[in-house]
Amino acid sequence: MAITTLHLRSECKPMEHRSALTPRTTKSLLEAGYKVNVERSPERIFEDSEFEAVGATLVPEGSWPSAPADHLIIGLKELPEEDFPLHHTHIQFAHCYKGQSNWEEVLSRFPSGSGTLYDLEFLNDESGRRVAAFGYHAGYAGAAIAVMVWAWQLDPATKDKPFPSVDYYKSEADLVNKVKGSLEEGMKYSSSIPRVMVMGALGRCGSGALGLCKAIGLPDSSMVKWDLAETSQRPGPYEEIVESDIFVNCIYLSKPIPPFVNRETLSSPKRKLSVVCDVSCDTTNPHNPIPIYDICTTFEKPTVPVKVERDPPLSVISIDHLPSLLPREASQDFSDALLPSLLKLNNREQERVWQQAENLFREKVAGLSAKWKQGRAFLGGTAVPTGRP
């Protein structure tokens, strides 16, 4: 059997320090007979030397487009916004399967070059659960920033100023200490402990948000935990959200649902809500259940203000790579969970997890509009370039 080569690309998204592979999982792949090429990266939380020490081959940053066509390109976030055809098989989060803005531009690059996409968001086990996800650390980081913003907006010296940029933390302990300090500062100006409502509390992401709340010492009585059992009783919007100080949305949006909160509910005289952290970050999804904002925020500019009629002020956090706040722990957990599936890549034509991902890719490609299929022919579900450069 030919040796399968994985090419770990350097991430290009600002403040993206996570990695799909870690030195530990790279070592396991090498021991199983795979070859692993690792692009040098000035941003990755792991040093290049850590990969080299376990036997990986270091290659130049950004060299993946010129890698041999049979190499599997693995990364996390989206590729740079280019329009050249993609000739490789890519393993990554592409964010183009749920009707996101520009989804056709993103997806069409793969069939244009006879490439394939294995989208990490849709690698599922036999029960339909994702084999690997960053959900826990996304919820943990999102709740952390939300509490810091809550405190910032209470301080008379800072409440009228934008919340400042945030940088990544080397450990969970460092982050917890920072948030505890913010909570203490906020309590100087608040008559009560913040009430934090978590939507999707039973999932990975919701568990992370609640985990942060517990780590900073919030009592269980201040946490409102909602999941399907609560939302199935009646459709939104929900007054419980605007009556909380902080709302953390951790659901996985798979179909249209009524909004959880809207501009009408924000006018309620009972509103205490001052921070919304939309961890799910379905900003460009036409069915976004939090239709009170329309842009993604960043670690450089973490919040976007929402116009409201009276105090308290209201800010939304909608950072789409929150786990990067804790890149080492998040990468280790994710890569460890992904490893069993990666070890099946040698036999991916017969392995359910990879065949299911490829079938979904073919299905989504078939749904491209005529505009994006122009210049390409599809034979047996495979795209064949027909003159497009």
Side-chain angles (χ1 to χ4, degrees), residues 13-83:
K13 192 179 185 74
M15 204 186 151
E16 182 53 86
H17 305 293
R18 292 175 297 167
S19 178
L21 299 181
T22 66
R24 183 166 64 205
T25 52
T26 296
K27 184 174 184 290
S28 296
L29 286 163
L30 291 166
E31 290 174 346
Y34 290 82
K35 180 176 175 57
V36 182
N37 294 337
V38 175
E39 290 188 6
R40 296 180 182 273
S41 173
E43 299 297 330
R44 191 183 293 126
I45 189 64
F46 304 101
E47 298 291 337
D48 296 340
S49 58
E50 294 181 70
F51 287 97
E52 192 172 37
V54 299
T57 301
L58 298 182
V59 296
E61 181 182 10
S63 60
W64 65 265
S66 59
D70 62 344
H71 288 196
L72 307 181
I73 312 301
I74 185 168
L76 287 179
K77 299 303 289 183
E78 307 93 323
L79 295 171
E81 292 185 3
E82 305 280 358
D83 59 4

Side-chain angles (χ1 to χ4, degrees), residues 186-258:
M187 289 302 298
K188 294 178 181 178
Y189 309 102
S190 175
S191 59
S192 61
I193 295 172
R195 184 175 190 250
V196 181
M197 182 169 182
V198 177
M199 187 72 80
L202 297 180
R204 288 171 168 142
C205 181
S207 297
L210 296 172
L212 181 280
C213 292
K214 294 173 185 176
I216 63 173
L218 291 182
D220 194 69
S221 59
S222 71
M223 303 178 216
V224 182
K225 308 166 189 176
W226 275 34
D227 211 278
L228 289 174
E230 289 75 21
T231 57
S232 62
Q233 292 178 10
R234 69 181 195 274
Y238 302 106
E239 64 271 15
E240 289 87 349
I241 292 175
V242 297
E243 293 172 8
S244 299
D245 298 282
I246 297 170
F247 174 52
V248 186
N249 179 40
C250 296
I251 71 159
Y252 181 79
L253 184 64
S254 59
K255 61 182 180 181
I257 58 175

Side-chain angles (χ1 to χ4, degrees), residues 160-209:
D160 295 324
K161 300 177 182 178
F163 186 75
S165 64
V166 294
D167 203 351
Y168 73 94
Y169 290 80
K170 293 184 178 180
S171 71
E172 284 184 10
D174 289 345
L175 175 60
V176 167
N177 287 335
K178 173 65 176 178
V179 181
K180 280 183 175 179
S182 294
L183 179 62
E184 290 174 4
E185 287 298 310
M187 289 302 298
K188 294 178 181 178
Y189 309 102
S190 175
S191 59
S192 61
I193 295 172
R195 184 175 190 250
V196 181
M197 182 169 182
V198 177
M199 187 72 80
L202 297 180
R204 288 171 168 142
C205 181
S207 297

Side-chain angles (χ1 to χ4, degrees), residues 336-371:
D336 284 350
L338 183 61
L339 179 62
S341 297
L342 294 177
L343 290 171
K344 298 176 181 178
L345 280 168
N346 268 336
N347 195 37
R348 59 187 178 278
E349 292 81 5
Q350 282 75 46
E351 291 291 343
R352 184 204 54 78
V353 65
W354 296 110
Q355 276 303 292
Q356 181 175 297
E358 183 164 347
N359 290 340
L360 181 60
F361 166 69
R362 302 298 178 197
E363 175 188 320
K364 297 298 182 180
V365 166
L368 287 168
S369 63
K371 170 186 175 182

